[in-house]
Amino acid sequence: DTGVSQDPRHKITKRGQNVTFRCDPISEHNRLYWYRQTLGQGPEFLTYFQNEAQLEKSRLLSDRFSAERPKGSFSTLEIQRTEQGDSAMYLCASSRPDRGGYGYTFGSGTRLTVV
Amino acid sequence: QQQVKQSPQSLIVQKGGISIINCAYENTAFDYFPWYQQFPGKGPALLIAIRPDVSEKKEGRFTISFNKSAKQFSLHIMDSQPGDSATYFCAASRAGGSYIPTFGRGTSLIVHP
């Protein structure tokens, strides 16, 4: 168990380009969450998977955002036609249902800069 | 609408002092109140958590005080150390279900040696 892994750690992209981030959760965790964190703010929930099913989406997840977890293991978050306002840290977390908040583990995030 | 309000935004404490961070919540359905610690370049990590059936929980130098009637809770760091310098987030959620915590805006703590 090496924790929640996110790739890449940093991404700089030009406005209008598409970007994709990957999250590999802790192996026995069947729940996976995506958050966005901007400077001076706490993490804001984007979406949540249980196994491969996307069960909840925040209104922050605009039409330009899409997330997948095709085999119930790793997940990807894609942002299409990036805007400067998308610049943020994108965090992934995973958990087991029986552990509740105590098993909730964040990755180190992907920092996106849109220029 | 900010459901979890956290203060202060920043805090400077001398080594050995007590750091106190306060949070208030609005949703009475919340029944799980964790604190997270975040170092630069890292994701938040669970520090300590409390449920509303107790008024205080202590783990080492970290203590959560909880006031259900006032819908407030606070983190106390005793004997603060330079290694405690980090950003601290309070959060609130429902313990069951999908567990999606609502976070406060964070407090940047600096402990001077």
Side-chain angles (χ1 to χ4, degrees):
Chain A
D1 173 11
T2 57
V4 177
S5 176
Q6 292 190 246
D7 183 71
R9 292 296 310 277
H10 303 275
K11 178 72 176 178
I12 300 174
T13 191
K14 292 184 179 179
R15 186 164 52 94
Q17 297 294 305
N18 298 344
V19 293
T20 300
F21 311 138
R22 176 177 170 130
C23 172
D24 286 89
I26 293 173
S27 57
E28 67 266 27
H29 286 187
N30 66 344
R31 290 182 173 176
L32 187 149
Y33 307 76
W34 285 99
Y35 287 81
R36 182 182 71 181
Q37 185 177 21
T38 53
L39 197 63
Q41 300 291 325
E44 296 174 293
F45 170 72
L46 292 178
T47 190
Y48 147 62
F49 291 85
Q50 179 153 315
N51 299 314
E52 65 274 11
Q54 189 173 16
L55 297 185
E56 203 163 329
K57 289 193 277 190
S58 159
R59 63 180 180 274
L60 293 176
L61 208 69
S62 76
D63 291 344
R64 296 184 298 104
F65 287 68
S66 62
E68 294 183 341
R69 194 181 183 198
K71 297 182 179 179
S73 55
F74 72 91
S75 175
T76 57
L77 178 68
E78 181 182 18
I79 308 174
Q80 297 182 327
R81 305 181 303 282
T82 52
E83 302 173 354
Q84 286 190 322
D86 297 331
S87 295
M89 174 79 84
Y90 289 85
L91 292 163
C92 175
S94 70
S95 75
R96 278 170 39 181
D98 60 327
R99 291 282 293 156
Y102 288 95
Y104 209 82
T105 304
F106 280 93
S108 293
T110 293
R111 180 164 295 285
L112 173 66
T113 302
V114 182
V115 298
Chain B
Q1 180 185 7
Q2 188 184 359
Q3 293 197 57
V4 179
K5 296 182 180 180
Q6 182 172 347
S7 63
Q9 187 174 351
S10 62
L11 182 61
I12 299 174
V13 174
Q14 294 295 316
K15 179 182 176 182
I18 303 173
S19 304
I20 301 174
I21 305 170
N22 301 299
C23 280
Y25 64 98
E26 299 172 1
N27 188 344
T28 55
F30 290 148
D31 57 3
Y32 178 73
F33 302 91
W35 285 88
Y36 286 85
Q37 180 188 55
Q38 185 176 28
F39 293 104
K42 299 291 187 182
L46 178 66
L47 188 63
I48 186 172
I50 196 169
R51 293 180 188 257
D53 52 343
V54 296
S55 60
E56 186 174 283
K57 182 173 182 180
K58 184 176 180 179
E59 290 184 1
R61 295 184 294 109
F62 301 92
T63 299
I64 300 179
S65 296
F66 185 81
N67 185 329
K68 187 174 181 179
S69 60
K71 294 189 287 185
Q72 295 176 347
F73 58 110
S74 60
L75 176 69
H76 295 233
I77 306 175
M78 311 300 288
D79 187 26
S80 298
Q81 299 296 312
D84 297 330
S85 298
T87 300
Y88 293 81
F89 295 96
C90 62
S93 79
R94 301 195 65 173
S98 53
Y99 183 66
I100 300 173
T102 300
F103 287 85
R105 289 186 173 178
T107 296
S108 175
L109 171 66
I110 297 174
V111 181
H112 284 309

